[in-house]
Amino acid sequence: NNNIGLYGNYTVADFTADNLAPSIVETVNFTDLSTNTPTSWLWTFAPSTITYMNGAAADSQHPEIRFDNPGLYTVELTVTNADGSDAETKADYINATNPPPVADFIADNLTPSIVETVNFTDLSTNTPTSWLWTFTPGTITYMNGTTADSQHPEVRFDNPGLYTVELTVTNADGSDTETKADYINAIGLPPVADFIADNLTPSIVETVNFTDLSTNTPTSWLWTFTPSTITYMNGTAANSQHPEVRFDNPGLYTVE
């Protein structure tokens, strides 16, 4: 401390900060601890690449400061009262750093089918330099050359169900993880109906065997014949997968 004044209750400068290693996006609160009732304050920062926040200024008693560039900062407080002045200097007191990344992402389809590709977009801030994606369950396939460490992966979900997605991003200043539980609801494919009959010109006493050729694993079937003058044979019915049918009247029949 450098005291200026010959007599009286000259003030003695002192201060503290609530964060000595802030990132360049954080605000540091300085508290004046000077004794003997100073009546004015003057703060100096070297380097001067700082911003006073929330209406504070260089002559505030308790300023709030954002350090705009990474690096070491020396802080000096000069306090004054009617009996004199004093200065406190704390060399390399603040070590400002770049902020760690903050993870975030979005997908372009939250309810894909199991044959569709979902495009994930990294929305993380503060310039991550590496990415790690995790899917639970792990029944996924990375598409078009993307991988678990791609910034913007393309993913196919191979089984129906809910998937939790997690992204961890890292840079030289730290890591952050964003987890979105049950974010993707992958659905199976609807069936595509198709069939064939083994005889398209039967007589009315012959039995025609219908074969279901539908894809994507249907679980129920409903056959309709127009006109409806048919008989299901050999224990088959309208909800059989492969019915056997006798056409009771001559003529053309539409089959659905």
Side-chain angles (χ1 to χ4, degrees):
N1 294 343
N2 297 312
N3 299 310
I4 303 172
L6 297 178
Y7 56 87
N9 293 319
Y10 58 82
T11 185
V12 177
D14 194 14
F15 62 88
T16 190
D18 66 349
N19 187 353
L20 302 185
S23 76
I24 60 174
V25 296
E26 294 179 298
T27 296
V28 179
N29 296 287
F30 284 84
T31 300
D32 169 41
L33 300 178
S34 306
T35 57
N36 295 334
T37 316
T39 55
S40 67
W41 301 262
L42 180 62
W43 297 84
T44 306
F45 297 87
S48 60
T49 51
I50 61 99
T51 299
Y52 288 97
M53 307 296 291
N54 300 318
D59 58 0
S60 297
Q61 182 176 9
H62 308 296
E64 301 176 30
I65 305 291
R66 186 187 67 208
F67 294 85
D68 298 326
N69 290 342
L72 293 169
Y73 286 76
T74 293
V75 183
E76 179 180 282
L77 170 62
T78 300
V79 290
T80 303
N81 66 13
D83 296 297
S85 296
D86 186 46
E88 172 69 6
T89 301
K90 297 187 179 184
D92 297 339
Y93 184 56
I94 299 294
N95 183 14
T97 62
N98 284 309
V102 177
D104 195 15
F105 61 88
I106 196 171
D108 67 348
N109 187 353
L110 302 185
T111 56
S113 74
I114 58 175
V115 297
E116 293 180 295
T117 296
V118 178
N119 298 288
F120 285 84
T121 301
D122 168 43
L123 300 177
S124 305
T125 55
N126 300 335
T127 317
T129 54
S130 66
W131 299 262
L132 181 62
W133 297 84
T134 305
F135 296 88
T136 305
T139 51
I140 62 101
T141 300
Y142 289 98
M143 307 297 289
N144 300 319
T146 63
T147 64
D149 57 5
S150 296
Q151 182 176 10
H152 309 295
E154 302 177 29
V155 177
R156 186 186 70 207
F157 294 85
D158 297 327
N159 290 341
L162 293 168
Y163 287 78
T164 292
V165 184
E166 178 179 284
L167 170 61
T168 298
V169 291
T170 303
N171 65 18
D173 299 290
S175 297
D176 187 47
T177 298
E178 172 72 5
T179 301
K180 298 187 179 183
D182 296 340
Y183 185 56
I184 299 294
N185 184 15
I187 58 176
L189 294 172
V192 178
D194 195 15
F195 62 89
I196 195 170
D198 68 349
N199 186 352
L200 302 184
T201 56
S203 73
I204 59 174
V205 297
E206 293 180 297
T207 296
V208 179
N209 296 288
F210 285 84
T211 300
D212 168 40
L213 300 178
S214 305
T215 55
N216 299 335
T217 316
T219 55
S220 67
W221 300 263
L222 180 64
W223 297 83
T224 305
F225 296 88
T226 306
S228 60
T229 53
I230 61 100
T231 301
Y232 288 98
M233 307 298 289
N234 299 318
T236 63
N239 60 357
S240 296
Q241 183 176 10
H242 308 297
E244 301 177 28
V245 177
R246 187 186 69 207
F247 294 85
D248 297 328
N249 290 340
L252 292 168
Y253 287 77
T254 294
V255 184
E256 178 179 285

